[in-house]
Amino acid sequence: MIPAAAERALPPAFAMGGSGARLKVKGLCFLALGPFHFDVERGECLGITGASGTGKTLLLRALADLDPHTGEVFLDGVEAGALPASQWRRRVGLLPAESAWWSDTVGPHFNQIAPRRLSRLGFGTEVLQWEVARLSSGERQRLAFLRLLEGQPAVLLLDEPTANLDAENTRRLETLVRRYREQQGAAVVWVTHDLPQLERVSTRCCRLQNGRLESL
Amino acid sequence: MHVVPLTPVDLGLAALLVVALALLSLRMRLNLAGQIVTAAVRTTVQLLLVGLVLKTLFAHVSLPWISLMALVMLLAAGREVMGRQTRRFAGWWGFGVGTVSMLVSSFAVTLLALTVIINIQPWYAPRYAVPLLGMVLGNTMTGMAVGLDRLTQAAWSQRAAIEGRLILGEQAATAIAAIRRESIRSGLIPIINAMSAAGIVSLPGMMTGQILGGSPPLEAVKYQILIMFLIAAGTGFGTITAVWLGGRRLFDERHRLRLDRLRPAR
């Protein structure tokens, strides 16, 4: 459980002088989709919806430079190709719909996590010894989000982050993202099928259709 | 001591055993009878042919001809490594990864043995060069095929975990490191086991052949030890090279996992 007070006050570790940046996409094409042109300002949340198979996940993957693509993506004017791929990905934090885990226990997936950061998300330090296989989907998603924030991303790319979560865990994650966005000035791209959620979390909404983004 | 010469009738008697096996498998509906017979015919024809080739090579010791023979063996081994992959690399890489790795490991190891260790004149004397290369190549091929197969299969099945690590800002080499290590291990385990069991559980083929051929057992054993070491080195360095090359090919310059560079599973 996340204490209510913790949800109001963002963990100090997250509030390090605003690591956010402005995301600019220019002529981005991948497979047969695009070209995409859009900006997401610091502290803004662009919500993207669209039918299954329209390429929402592929769009996020291209932004994170996980798939070959053409066109340019900038963070505060710096093009992706100007940075080593690893550094770029650390700055544009992608949270996949299904989080991936490669060690048996939670601990090895984190570099050095301060106990207080865990406790702000409702976990004790004993969570590091927990087996990944025994985590609930809500716990997994919250831990995956915490793991992503370790790299202090300037942008958050969220791919149906609450698809497998119950109402309570959904609300928690929405709150965490909003705090990070507001306090760090992070640009957020939030992909979901859930229109009421988009209204809650986003500052601007688009629909991905026929390989293009259309404003809602 | 002389070898008892084998007549066609002797071989025919041995062939009857294979025919009996084929008949039994037919009766048990193992669906293997055809394959058994084909393989037995292939082994007869191929070995007879290579016997003729070796006879000619031994009679005319010439570097160009031996090089040609070595090249044919290398290409055949490269094709075999490629054929044993469930998801092999597309295009020339499918053939190239294994062939190049065998070239650098098996050939280097065999050359070293011929020129420095056995030190015969000329160094390419076919009586030594061809069997040595054949044994090293054959074993390297097996280890490499296992290692590469493991690498590409694991990259395929553990795609989410590899990309999960890339997303967090890891380099491609770090993201695949554990899979790479496991693949190399699986390629090396058979030769380690073979070295451990040699002499106790199994009498290696070359030594047995030499003893049958009339060599003193201790000489045969020394050669067998040499061969075991050469095979271990060839397999080890070859598998490490192949898995390293393959591991690099799985990613592009932007450290993206490129599973589109693998052919679909057969």
Side-chain angles (χ1 to χ4, degrees), chain A residues 61 65-69 80-81 83-86 88-90 94 96 100 102 147-148, chain B residues 159-171 252-258 260:
Chain A
R61 286 177 58 90
D65 204 1
L66 280 175
D67 288 328
H69 56 84
L83 292 177
S86 54
W88 174 262
R89 290 192 192 112
R90 221 172 293 144
L94 170 63
W102 44 91
R147 181 175 67 176
L148 189 69
Chain B
R159 171 187 188 154
I162 297 171
E163 290 195 327
R165 304 181 77 139
L166 293 177
I167 286 168
L168 295 180
E170 285 190 7
Q171 309 266 348
D252 64 14
E253 72 291 347
R254 291 297 291 172
H255 295 243
R256 305 176 187 119
L257 179 63
R258 297 294 298 273
D260 55 317

Side-chain angles (χ1 to χ4, degrees), chain B residues 157-202:
Chain B
S157 60
Q158 295 174 39
R159 171 187 188 154
I162 297 171
E163 290 195 327
R165 304 181 77 139
L166 293 177
I167 286 168
L168 295 180
E170 285 190 7
Q171 309 266 348
T174 323
I176 194 101
I179 292 178
R180 232 183 217 173
R181 271 197 300 275
E182 271 311 302
S183 309
I184 293 174
R185 280 175 57 86
S186 60
L188 284 190
I189 294 292
I191 179 62
I192 295 175
N193 289 344
M195 282 201 288
S196 313
I200 304 176
V201 186
S202 64

